[in-house]
């Protein structure tokens, strides 16, 4: 998809981690997953970055904490459909 370096820190029993990994796969993004529940070194790496929760995604120099789909799309250059309210059809009287 792109030449960006994508690293995702995950943990076991984390529904947002599962959702994030699923979305990256759906978008065909190459990424490296580092599960902090299964590898203590990954846990220490994440702490050294002053991050203490998962999911934590690092895209080149950009840090995205939690599951933030719009920010992920924007950072990865994946287009998304904007949804705007049609204020012309709203009645404020």
């Amino acid at each position: 998809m792109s030449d960006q370096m994508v690293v995702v820190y995950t943990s076991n029993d984390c529904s947002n981690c599962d959702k994030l990994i699923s979305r990256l796969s759906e978008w065909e993004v190459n990424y490296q997953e580092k599960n902090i529940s299964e590898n203590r070194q990954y846990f220490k790496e994440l702490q050294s970055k002053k991050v203490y929760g998962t999911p934590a995604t690092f895209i080149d120099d950009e840090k995205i904490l939690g599951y933030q789909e719009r920010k992920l799309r924007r950072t990865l250059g994946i287009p998304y459909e904007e949804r705007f309210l049609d204020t012309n059809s709203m009645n404020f009287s």
Side-chain angles (χ1 to χ4, degrees):
M1 165 107 209
S2 70
D3 294 333
Q4 294 169 300
M5 172 77 153
V6 180
V7 178
V8 182
Y9 289 88
T10 62
S11 57
N12 293 342
D13 300 321
C14 169
S15 61
N16 279 334
C17 298
D18 296 339
K19 188 166 35 170
L20 175 61
I21 293 298
S22 175
R23 190 66 74 198
L24 291 175
S25 296
E26 178 184 313
W27 295 334
E28 299 178 357
V29 171
N30 293 322
Y31 63 90
Q32 178 182 9
E33 181 179 359
K34 295 186 174 186
N35 187 312
I36 66 169
S37 299
E38 297 173 3
N39 186 317
R40 183 138 180 88
Q41 186 58 40
Y42 294 156
F43 179 70
K44 289 179 181 180
E45 272 179 34
L46 189 60
Q47 284 186 322
S48 74
K49 299 173 185 292
K50 306 287 188 227
V51 177
Y52 302 96
T54 59
T57 307
F58 293 84
I59 303 169
D60 294 332
D61 295 328
E62 178 91 22
K63 173 174 48 177
I64 302 173
L65 302 179
Y67 180 78
Q68 300 183 57
E69 184 170 333
R70 290 184 64 178
K71 190 169 184 179
L72 286 164
R73 282 180 175 271
R74 185 175 60 246
T75 305
L76 292 166
I78 298 169
Y80 57 89
E81 187 177 303
E82 286 282 354
R83 295 182 186 184
F84 295 101
L85 289 176
D86 182 3
T87 55
N88 293 330
S89 67
M90 299 176 95
N91 184 355
F92 294 103
S93 56

